[in-house]
Amino acid sequence: MDRVALRGLKARGHHGVFPKEREEGQTFIVDLVLGLDTRPAAAGDDLAKTVHYGIVAEEVVAAVEGEPVNLIETLAERIAQVCLKHEGVEEVEVCVHKPDAPITVPFDDVTVTITRSRV
């Protein structure tokens, strides 16, 4: 399976279990790896036969900016389902970064990574 990756998509969301997270929001960063067969697109040099990653990026940002959820696990699942709605995308790996998570010790990042496929 071929891969199309989008790294570092940034959006502001209001996800989290604490009131401050819901009220103030924070930046979330999303990395995606889309699994699909790119041969038909390459053979005809045809965008219609592959995934339009610009549209996927816009939809993922909209998902992050959308209805708040408590867990980034839930957000990752929402993003995966957005990606799998695109014809040709057979699987997706989603990594959601929460670099401003409310943790009381020094840290660089918190991530949740999931892989989902059409079944």
Side-chain angles (χ1 to χ4, degrees), residues 60-78:
V60 167
V61 165
V64 174
E65 293 174 342
E67 186 68 30
V69 296
N70 288 333
L71 304 176
I72 57 175
E73 291 87 342
T74 307
L75 181 59
E77 186 68 36
R78 176 188 291 173

Side-chain angles (χ1 to χ4, degrees), residues 21-42:
E21 294 178 292
R22 292 294 184 107
E23 293 165 12
E24 296 179 11
Q26 60 192 290
T27 299
F28 293 85
I29 302 165
V30 178
D31 299 325
L32 302 173
V33 180
L34 308 171
L36 64 151
D37 184 356
T38 63
R39 289 175 291 191

Side-chain angles (χ1 to χ4, degrees), residues 7-26:
R7 307 260 188 231
L9 296 171
K10 293 180 184 174
R12 189 156 187 86
H14 293 264
H15 312 290
V17 296
F18 297 113
K20 182 178 179 182
E21 294 178 292
R22 292 294 184 107
E23 293 165 12
E24 296 179 11
Q26 60 192 290

Side-chain angles (χ1 to χ4, degrees), residues 1-5 33-38 90-93 115:
M1 190 164 310
D2 302 320
R3 304 274 181 239
V4 174
V33 180
L34 308 171
L36 64 151
D37 184 356
T38 63
E90 294 297 323
E91 71 177 29
V92 61
E93 180 182 280
T115 303

Side-chain angles (χ1 to χ4, degrees), residues 42-96:
D45 198 28
D46 186 354
L47 176 60
K49 294 183 179 175
T50 189
V51 63
H52 191 310
Y53 51 79
I55 291 173
V56 172
E58 291 170 0
E59 292 174 354
V60 167
V61 165
V64 174
E65 293 174 342
E67 186 68 30
V69 296
N70 288 333
L71 304 176
I72 57 175
E73 291 87 342
T74 307
L75 181 59
E77 186 68 36
R78 176 188 291 173
I79 292 166
Q81 295 310 311
V82 165
C83 295
L84 289 171
K85 287 181 182 176
H86 287 266
E87 186 176 338
V89 176
E90 294 297 323
E91 71 177 29
V92 61
E93 180 182 280
V94 177
C95 180
V96 176

